[in-house]
């Protein structure tokens, strides 16, 4: 669920025997925070969202010491306009590490007007993120190009990448020793209840994407009586938090990359990279090898190439641009388009460094990771043999957890029998949160309903132009109604057709694909 913000124009084996453990809250519901029901909302309009308002709230760094050190969370709001007020709708784009301030405006704009009008749509930067304070940046420049090549074909490459991961972990521990023990999903979920109390509402509604589905499920575990409605889009597998989830991702990313290669082959007349997907794939690997030897523009080596093309695994609306970049380099020998694409899609500025710092801090703290590098190496070489596109890039992205200085917690068992119906929405071919995760969550949340986009591969499927999915979400947010299976087989309660694939850049189908939910796709991000 990697979390880098990008703009160019993210069935499994179930793991059993997971131990339920909610730190400082196991077996009990945490006490509601006693805070005054007042937030000082101020206008903070943007060009796209002139009604946007902003506020901040102080929360305990350690919720078990409510009178101890405080940190600040940044909030945003599009206020309701309808006479019938349905309460606050908190929205989260995922990550962990994704900033949610802009998401309030984007969700309010994308929902049907009558639905959005009934809610105060609330965005927030979770602890450590964006405009919340403190905002983490463990090691500025960590992604400065050109990084060592991801695939450790030589011992020196492996050592160089291990050193980067260890250095990042050491820098985090040195810089944020007092904060890191409290950068985790349970603490973030307890923050949500402080926000709820400060909003003055007994219950909240919630729309979460990607990692935001896990954050929502943990909140629901801690505070089931405070959930009014909850919609979870592109669902994390709660049995695979987080090491196993990343290994599962590697194979799903490969499948999406193969879909991109096949699409490029289908449009050989435009891109001239071969009409056989195998031929296109061979040119991909040749491009990667060439860039490992001679980075394009001194900026895009093999690792940066992978970062640039990863968005295509999350959203096929980017395929036309990526195919043009691929063709310009592999067929025409041009490096400038690739460098420009990297600067837009793969390069990390301060916001990306902040997101990555929180991503790592939460992931490493939430659950145990192997501490023996031999296990990482063996597992990832095995995965790489079947799925070479992103396996090692993904490994190094998460590798600081092998050297993390803060002890890990146990994952939360989100099993819940005390909730109103929860709406789950999932594409069958999603790479960042593979389909099996939604099935697992569906089984663990009694009374939940699963709506499936059959054959869809995009990550984050609602409010992106699929009218069928959006109708289910709008109906649910309006009335609480969810679809139910009426006989038949399978896990899905309702099935929607996938959106059509894009056409090459410049065609009507490409324009539709690029325009459908691009703003929200950028907020949900990639590796998030």
């Amino acid at each position: 669920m990697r979390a880098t913000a990008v703009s160019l124009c993210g069935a499994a084996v179930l793991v059993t025997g997971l131990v339920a453990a909610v730190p400082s809250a196991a077996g009990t519901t945490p006490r509601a925070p006693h805070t005054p029901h007042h937030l000082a909302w101020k206008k903070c309009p943007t060009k796209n969202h002139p009604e946007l308002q902003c506020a901040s709230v102080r929360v305990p760094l350690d919720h078990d010491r409510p009178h101890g050190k405080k940190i600040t969370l940044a909030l945003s709001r599009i206020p309701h306009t309808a006479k019938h007020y349905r309460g606050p709708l908190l929205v989260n784009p995922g990550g962990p590490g994704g900033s949610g301030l802009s998401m309030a405006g984007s969700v309010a704009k994308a929902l049907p007007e009558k639905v959005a009008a009934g809610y105060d749509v609330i965005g927030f930067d979770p602890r450590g993120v964006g405009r919340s304070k403190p905002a983490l940046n463990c090691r500025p420049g960590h992604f400065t190009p050109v990084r060592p090549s991801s695939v450790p074909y030589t011992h020196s490459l492996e050592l160089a990448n291990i050193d980067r991961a260890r250095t990042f972990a050491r820098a985090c521990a040195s810089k944020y020793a007092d904060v890191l023990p409290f950068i985790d999903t349970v603490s973030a979920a307890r923050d949500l209840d402080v926000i709820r109390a400060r909003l003055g509402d007994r219950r909240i509604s919630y729309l979460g994407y990607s990692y935001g589905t896990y954050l929502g499920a943990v909140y629901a575990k801690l505070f089931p009586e405070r959930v009014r409605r909850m919609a979870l889009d592109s669902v994390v597998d709660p049995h695979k938090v987080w090491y196993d989830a990343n290994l599962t991702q590697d194979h799903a990313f490969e499948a999406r990359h193969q879909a991109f290669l096949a699409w490029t082959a289908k449009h050989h007349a435009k891109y001239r990279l071969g009409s056989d997907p195998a031929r296109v794939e061979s040119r991909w690997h040749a491009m990667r090898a060439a860039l490992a030897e001679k980075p394009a523009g001194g900026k895009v080596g093999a690792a940066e190439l992978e970062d640039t093309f990863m968005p295509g695994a999350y959203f096929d609306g980017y395929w036309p641009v990526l195919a043009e970049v691929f063709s310009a380099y592999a067929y025409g020998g041009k490096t400038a388009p690739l460098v420009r694409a990297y600067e837009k899609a793969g390069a990390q500025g301060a916001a990306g460094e902040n997101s990555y710092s929180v991503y790592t801090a939460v992931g490493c703290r939430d659950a145990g990771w192997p501490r023996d590098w031999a296990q990482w190496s063996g597992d990832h070489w095995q995965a790489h043999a079947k799925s070479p596109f992103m396996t090692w890039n993904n490994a190094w992205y998460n590798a600081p957890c092998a050297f993390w200085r803060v002890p890990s917690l146990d994952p939360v068992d989100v099993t819940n029998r005390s909730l109103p119906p929860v709406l789950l929405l999932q594409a069958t071919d999603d790479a960042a949160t593979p389909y099996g995760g939604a099935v697992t969550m569906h089984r663990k949340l009694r009374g939940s309903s699963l709506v499936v986009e059959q054959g869809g591969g995009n990550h984050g499927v609602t409010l992106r132009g699929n009218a069928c999915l959006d109708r289910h979400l709008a109906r649910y947010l309006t009335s609480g109604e969810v679809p139910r299976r009426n006989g038949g087989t399978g896990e899905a309660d309702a099935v929607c057709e996938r959106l059509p694939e894009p056409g090459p850049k410049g065609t009507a189908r490409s324009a539709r694909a690029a325009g459908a939910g691009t703003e929200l796709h950028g907020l949900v991000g990639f590796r998030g």
Side-chain angles (χ1 to χ4, degrees), residues 66-319:
H67 301 295
K69 182 177 180 179
K70 299 293 196 297
I71 59 175
T72 302
L73 305 182
L75 310 179
S76 63
R77 177 177 75 167
I78 299 290
H80 72 281
T81 56
K83 291 182 179 179
H84 177 59
Y85 176 50
R86 294 190 172 92
L89 172 64
L90 274 65
V91 295
N92 180 269
S99 170
L101 290 184
S102 297
M103 198 172 182
S106 298
V107 167
K109 183 177 179 180
L111 283 169
E113 185 176 354
K114 289 183 179 179
V115 178
Y119 287 96
D120 281 352
V121 183
I122 308 291
F124 60 97
D125 278 352
R127 54 176 54 205
V129 176
R131 294 186 186 177
S132 293
K133 297 178 181 179
L136 275 57
N137 190 338
C138 293
R139 187 175 180 244
H142 183 71
F143 289 96
T144 299
V146 173
R147 309 198 308 272
S149 184
S150 298
V151 183
Y153 286 124
T154 67
H155 186 54
S156 61
L157 274 176
E158 183 173 37
L159 290 179
N161 278 301
I162 288 174
D163 182 64
R164 285 186 73 252
R166 184 184 286 114
T167 299
F168 185 89
R170 186 183 301 123
C172 263
S174 174
K175 208 169 180 181
Y176 301 111
D178 59 334
V179 174
L180 290 184
F182 309 104
I183 306 294
D184 61 88
T185 299
V186 169
S187 295
R190 296 178 74 176
D191 290 343
L192 295 187
D193 209 54
V194 176
I195 295 172
R196 176 205 59 78
R198 292 296 302 273
L199 291 170
D201 288 272
R202 187 171 62 86
R203 294 186 296 169
I204 63 168
S205 297
Y206 179 88
L207 171 61
Y209 292 85
S210 193
Y211 162 79
T213 66
Y214 183 65
L215 175 60
V218 171
Y219 178 81
K221 179 71 174 185
L222 298 179
F223 306 102
E225 74 283 2
R226 294 169 200 162
V227 175
R228 188 168 189 263
R229 289 169 192 156
M230 180 169 285
L232 307 179
D233 183 329
S234 303
V235 184
V236 164
D237 190 332
H239 274 178
K240 294 190 174 186
V241 178
W242 293 110
Y243 181 76
D244 289 336
N246 281 283
L247 288 170
T248 303
Q249 270 188 342
D250 295 336
H251 301 299
F253 281 135
E254 183 68 27
R256 288 299 288 158
H257 184 58
Q258 292 296 324
F260 164 69
L261 298 174
W263 179 90
T264 304
K266 184 166 67 176
H267 297 288
H268 169 63
K270 171 72 173 178
Y271 302 115
R272 299 175 291 179
L273 292 168
S275 57
D276 179 2
R279 171 62 176 157
V280 180
E281 183 177 17
S282 70
R283 298 190 84 153
W284 161 265
H285 288 294
M287 176 172 63
R288 187 192 179 285
L291 290 168
E293 291 293 325
K294 185 180 179 181
K299 287 187 176 181
V300 184
E304 290 75 25
L305 175 73
E306 294 156 356
D307 293 347
T308 303
F309 276 73
M310 173 171 262
Y314 282 74
F315 179 39
D316 60 18
Y318 296 124
W319 288 0

